Structure formats: structure tokens, C-alpha cells
Amino acid sequence: MADEQLGVIVTLEVIDDEQYNVVKPATSKGPYPMKPVYLNPFLVMFSVWSEWSECSQCGVVGRRRRYAMCYVSRINEYKTTFKSNMTNSDEESSKLFKVYPDGIPCRSRILPPSIRKMMSVQQRPNEIMLGLCRVRCKEAIVNIRSQSGDIIESVNNTAGVYSLHQNPPLQPPLPARRIMYVEPGERVIIICYGTTLRDIPFTWRVDTHEVSPRYLWSASRDRIHLNARDHIVIKHVLYSDARVYR
């Protein structure tokens, strides 16, 4: 019997920046994530969550985040009495959700307009959950041995300490650079693109000074703030904002 090969279809859609709500875990004081909503006897709207990002720091309390996207899916188990009440539109939607059994994003063009244009679907935002974390630092202790096998030196490479008996460490990649030209009064969003493509919370430096979200907000009198994705948002830029942000 010949081996069967299964094909996979990947649908890629590009949408504009979505509005999102910032929520907290159940162990926090809230606000909390939105609960599933039943649109009708056949459909449910819910959130699909990503895994947590890596912790921003080790050895101390750091930050992490994860994302939730709004989805609509068919209810697999519904009463037989409801089936007789299905309209032609419901039957077409039912066939579509058989192709996408895990659901369809609320903003997807694949989602039928009759569902996508529902007020409850349009008003449900995506979500970002912010949480605290604490993980142990991984230490790479390297023992330098003599020709007889005795340990003559121990160094912690994780802390940036190397022995003269080791090969030179690899240099980190050069930081990504971007120059922005804007008119005074414009709204500006500064994004750290980085070079590692890892979604990890981080701390900004303006020139050489480390800044916190609270400091940006208070020092600028709410003109500048840091959003949940660590983007610096300047409501209306001034000449004094011409700095190096890293």
C-alpha cells in the first residue's frame, strides 16, 4: 500500500494595525481577558492565545507578554432541534468552518460578511496580556584544565568573563539603525526592530539614560508613553525629541 501524503494549505492575510486591550493574568488585579461569546446557536467568538514570551530578565523580576487574537468558530455540539432552523447562510457557513475547524480570525476576509459585520464581532478587540516573571540565570561555567587534568581556572562565560586560554568570544551583531525624519507636531511611533527577531520585553535608553514607562509619561506630561508592545508613542513631536533612542 502506497504511503499517503497529506497536503497543507496556509492562508496569509495582511491587515492594518489592530486596536488591542491590555489585560492581566488571573493572579493580578485585572483587567482580565474577555470571555467567549455565543453569536447564535451555531457560532462562538473567542480568543486564541499565543505562548508567553521569554522573560525580559533573569535572576530578578522581569516582564513577559502574550497575544490573543479574536476568532469565530462553529459549535461542534448543538442540539438537533437547531439544525432544522438553519438558514441557507448558516449552512454555507457550516461548510466553511468544516474547512477551518479551528476557527477563522474575526478580521479575516474569509469570514462571511454576515458574520464579520456583526456589531459584537467588530467591537471585540485583540488582547495583549502583560505579566511578571522570574527565571534563574543560566550560567556557563568553564573549567580550564592543565595538561595533567587539574583545574587551574574557572570562568563564568555567561557573565562575560573569559579566560586567556579560551578562544575569543563571538562578537554580538551590530544594532539595527534607522533614521526618522518627521515634521513638528506629527504623531510618531518608534519601534525597536532589533536583530534577533525575538519578541522579548526590553528597556529603552534615550541617549545614554535608561528610561521607564512611568518616567516617559510623567516627564512629558502624557505627551509620550510606552505601549504594551514597547513602542514609544509620541503624540505630537517637538524639536527637543531629536535624540538617539535605543
Side-chain angles (χ1 to χ4, degrees):
M1 182 177 178
D3 293 337
E4 294 184 359
Q5 293 184 350
L6 299 178
V8 176
I9 298 177
V10 178
T11 303
L12 173 64
E13 292 192 71
V14 180
I15 60 176
D16 296 331
D17 287 341
E18 275 286 315
Q19 296 295 323
Y20 57 86
N21 284 350
V22 178
V23 297
K24 301 292 181 62
T27 54
S28 181
K29 295 182 179 180
Y32 301 117
M34 301 184 71
K35 296 181 179 180
V37 175
Y38 292 92
L39 302 176
N40 58 37
F42 318 108
L43 299 175
V44 61
M45 179 173 60
F46 59 99
S47 297
V48 175
W49 286 93
S50 68
E51 297 293 331
W52 282 105
S53 70
E54 296 180 44
C55 197
S56 61
Q57 301 181 80
C58 68
V60 296
V61 176
R63 297 180 296 129
R64 61 179 181 171
R65 59 175 169 243
R66 61 177 181 156
Y67 303 89
M69 180 172 287
C70 172
Y71 267 69
V72 176
S73 179
R74 185 183 65 169
I75 301 173
N76 292 325
E77 299 294 336
Y78 49 86
K79 296 181 180 180
T80 307
T81 53
F82 288 144
K83 296 182 180 180
S84 60
N85 297 328
M86 292 181 67
T87 63
N88 292 335
S89 176
D90 292 331
E91 292 180 358
E92 291 298 323
S93 299
S94 179
K95 294 178 182 178
L96 178 63
F97 284 110
K98 287 182 179 179
V99 180
Y100 297 94
D102 295 329
I104 301 174
C106 297
R107 309 295 181 263
S108 173
R109 297 181 183 89
I110 299 175
L111 196 65
S114 59
I115 301 175
R116 191 172 67 247
K117 293 181 180 180
M118 287 183 176
M119 189 61 65
S120 56
V121 175
Q122 291 184 346
Q123 291 182 347
R124 180 165 179 134
N126 294 325
E127 297 172 301
I128 295 181
M129 180 178 289
L130 303 180
L132 301 178
C133 53
R134 184 163 187 164
V135 296
R136 296 181 60 181
C137 295
K138 298 179 180 179
E139 294 187 349
I141 305 297
V142 178
N143 294 323
I144 308 300
R145 298 179 181 273
S146 64
Q147 293 182 351
S148 60
D150 297 327
I151 297 177
I152 59 175
E153 187 179 8
S154 293
V155 291
N156 185 355
N157 287 178
T158 305
V161 180
Y162 293 83
S163 170
L164 294 176
H165 299 281
Q166 290 182 273
N167 293 325
L170 296 176
Q171 296 300 310
L174 293 175
R177 291 177 170 86
R178 183 185 182 192
I179 299 177
M180 300 176 65
Y181 297 92
V182 296
E183 294 288 338
E186 286 188 17
R187 184 175 186 269
V188 178
I189 299 179
I190 303 177
I191 301 174
C192 178
Y193 293 95
T195 56
T196 63
L197 300 180
R198 296 160 66 195
D199 181 28
I200 304 175
F202 57 89
T203 301
W204 280 95
R205 289 179 180 271
V206 179
D207 291 332
T208 59
H209 303 287
E210 187 174 294
V211 294
S212 66
R214 183 178 295 275
Y215 173 80
L216 284 176
W217 176 80
S218 61
S220 66
R221 297 183 179 180
D222 195 27
R223 187 177 61 86
I224 305 175
H225 72 273
L226 199 68
N227 66 18
R229 290 184 287 184
D230 287 329
H231 300 166
I232 295 179
V233 180
I234 305 177
K235 293 182 179 179
H236 49 274
V237 68
L238 305 177
Y239 284 107
S240 58
D241 295 324
R243 305 285 186 87
V244 176
Y245 299 83
R246 55 184 176 178

